[in-house]
Every structure is written in structure tokens, then in C-alpha cells.
Amino acid sequence: MGAGKSRTALTSTLKHCTLWKSDRSPACRAVMMALDAMNLNITEVDVNMDKGEHRNPEMIIMNPLQTLPIFKDRELVICDSHAINTYLASRYRGSAQLLPRDAGGRALVEQLLHYDSGILYPKYRAASYPVLYEKCNCVMPDHACEIECAYRELENMLVGRQWFGGSWVTLSDISIAATISTLNILVPIDKSNYPRLSGWLHRMSEEVFFMTANKKGLGEFARRIDSSSVFDDVFKCPRSSEGRRARTGTPESELQ
């Protein structure tokens, strides 16, 4: 059973933590899913990347790389989704399920996080950025081929298992799900060629945290891919993770 269906911990509110994010970004959605899987409630601030808000001076001070997400816990600033998620799991949940405490189990999860950051995410950026920012109307064939190669690798990784990180959902599944569900919009996963990967993504899509934290951003990304217009963020003011979850229509009992 996945983390989103089995967790029983009460929500913890971290008033000193803030996440700057854009729902369209897979990296941001990975952090949002981790927050929801761990029942952590923090302040979330939407950043309109189409308007260049991530390049504002105050944002550059926090993250000179000018990328999202940006996470701040008091004076600590972390700007990589994988590092943010492992920090949250270690610091505030001590979750042996999402991030194993033993050295070997944690290394296996971190190995997959590196795969996402070093291989999957660059493929997403290469394929999507020309469409998002350069008025290209399709995914280039060489980029589509690279994505198909990643699908084959992931299909092989799932031999004999349901989840990438082991016998249950871990942070590695969450990060990979954020990227793969987005790649699936650009280059749909062929169920006949990749039955294990397709089945895994379906199981992930049934997790509560996937529905509360990933589905909206996926829809926004799909609309942005299909349109040349610039979308303004609907929510301008800082809000909480708890408030975001409440707007999904998911019964509160399912989120506890």
C-alpha cells in the first residue's frame, strides 16, 4: 500500500517554512507531493515564471540559479527539490517509509533521486523548453527518442517490483512520478511497450498526494503546451499547503 493511502499521522504546521513554486514545474510538484505525503503544512507562494518573477532581485538573492522551487526554513535556503524532500523527511518526519533510515536503503533511494535529477529532468527540459519558450509546436524527434530511452530504462528497473524504491512508495517514486507524469504529456507512454512503467504510473496516480499536489500542475502544463498564450497565476497571495489540499475536494479524512 502506498504512503498516501496508509499514513495516519496528524498534520504538522511549520510556520517558519516557506516554499516558492510554480505548479507547472515537475520539480515543484515533487516537493508538494512530498509535503502532502508527510502531512506537512507550510506557506506556499506562487511564482509566475512567464512574467519572470523568479528573476526578481529578492529571488536571485535566495537562488542565484534562478530556478524553482526555493525552500526556506528560517535562515536555511535549499533550491533543489530532491534535497528539499530528503531534508523534510529527515528533519520533520523521520519517515522510515519515504526515506529509509538504514544506510543501504537510503542509498538506494538517493541513487534514484540522482537518476531523476541527472537523467530524467534534463530530458524534460530539453524537450519542453523549446515548446514553452521558443514557440516550437512539437517535441523534436531526437528529444522524443531520448525520452523513449528513459522509459526503457525505467521499465527494466521495475522488473520484479511495484515501486522504484522497494516494497512501498519512497521519495524516489515521488520525484520520478513528478517528472514522468509530465514527460507522458510530451511523449505518451505506450502501455504495450512499457507495461510495468505504465502500471506504476497508474498506481501512483491513485495516491492521495498525487491527486492533491500533482494533477492541477499537470493540467496547467498541458494547457501551456497546447497554447501560445501566457497564463497568469490564479492565486496571488501566500497560502498554506493545508489550504491547497482542501481546494482539491478530497475529503479531509483521506488526508489525515
Side-chain angles (χ1 to χ4, degrees):
M1 181 176 288
K5 295 179 180 177
S6 62
R7 67 179 187 271
T8 58
L10 296 177
T11 298
S12 295
T13 299
L14 309 177
K15 295 182 179 180
H16 46 81
C17 293
T18 301
L19 177 71
W20 286 266
K21 52 88 172 178
S22 170
D23 289 351
R24 194 173 71 204
S25 162
C28 295
R29 284 186 267 116
V31 177
M32 294 159 63
M33 282 194 282
L35 286 167
D36 290 4
M38 291 184 276
N39 274 347
L40 295 176
N41 178 32
I42 69 175
T43 299
E44 296 181 1
V45 181
D46 280 310
V47 179
N48 191 322
M49 299 184 74
D50 289 323
K51 292 185 175 180
E53 291 178 356
H54 58 301
R55 298 190 180 95
N56 290 344
E58 61 271 21
M59 302 291 286
I60 294 176
I61 289 173
M62 288 192 291
N63 182 14
L65 298 178
Q66 302 175 39
T67 60
L68 295 174
I70 299 173
F71 171 81
K72 187 173 183 181
D73 183 349
R74 298 182 178 89
E75 299 306 314
L76 174 67
V77 178
I78 309 174
C79 302
D80 174 84
S81 63
H82 311 87
I84 293 169
N85 285 349
T86 55
Y87 172 79
L88 288 168
S90 301
R91 175 72 175 81
Y92 291 109
R93 268 296 178 240
S95 175
Q97 185 174 31
L98 290 175
L99 184 64
R101 294 191 182 98
D102 67 286
R106 177 162 180 150
L108 291 175
V109 169
E110 290 178 338
Q111 174 177 264
L112 289 161
L113 295 179
H114 286 304
Y115 178 84
D116 180 59
S117 65
I119 295 177
L120 288 184
Y121 206 83
K123 294 181 190 298
Y124 153 75
R125 293 188 64 172
S128 67
Y129 277 35
V131 182
L132 290 172
Y133 304 117
E134 299 172 13
K135 297 184 179 180
C136 181
N137 60 8
C138 65
V139 176
M140 294 293 99
D142 55 336
H143 295 152
C145 182
E146 285 295 313
I147 292 171
E148 290 279 352
C149 288
Y151 290 167
R152 284 195 291 273
E153 291 173 348
L154 292 167
E155 179 76 8
N156 291 333
M157 291 181 195
L158 286 169
V159 172
R161 61 177 63 190
Q162 284 197 314
W163 309 104
F164 283 105
S167 301
W168 52 77
V169 174
T170 65
L171 290 180
S172 58
D173 292 282
I174 288 175
S175 288
I176 292 173
T179 309
I180 286 296
S181 61
T182 311
L183 287 175
N184 186 45
I185 292 173
L186 297 169
V187 180
I189 297 170
D190 187 327
K191 295 181 181 180
S192 61
N193 289 334
Y194 314 110
R196 288 185 289 269
L197 180 61
S198 177
W200 166 84
L201 185 57
H202 176 73
R203 289 190 295 277
M204 286 296 293
S205 71
E206 293 183 321
E207 295 288 340
V208 173
F209 60 75
F210 188 103
M211 293 184 280
T212 58
N214 199 50
K215 288 185 70 174
K216 174 182 177 292
L218 273 180
E220 181 180 327
F221 177 81
R223 290 191 299 273
R224 184 65 174 84
I225 286 290
D226 290 337
S227 173
S228 60
S229 62
V230 175
F231 289 88
D232 289 334
D233 287 334
V234 177
F235 303 99
K236 295 295 184 181
C237 299
R239 60 189 188 279
S240 69
S241 306
E242 191 171 46
R244 166 175 54 75
R245 293 194 289 266
R247 284 198 306 276
T248 64
T250 304
E252 186 65 23
S253 61
E254 292 185 28
L255 303 178
Q256 296 285 326

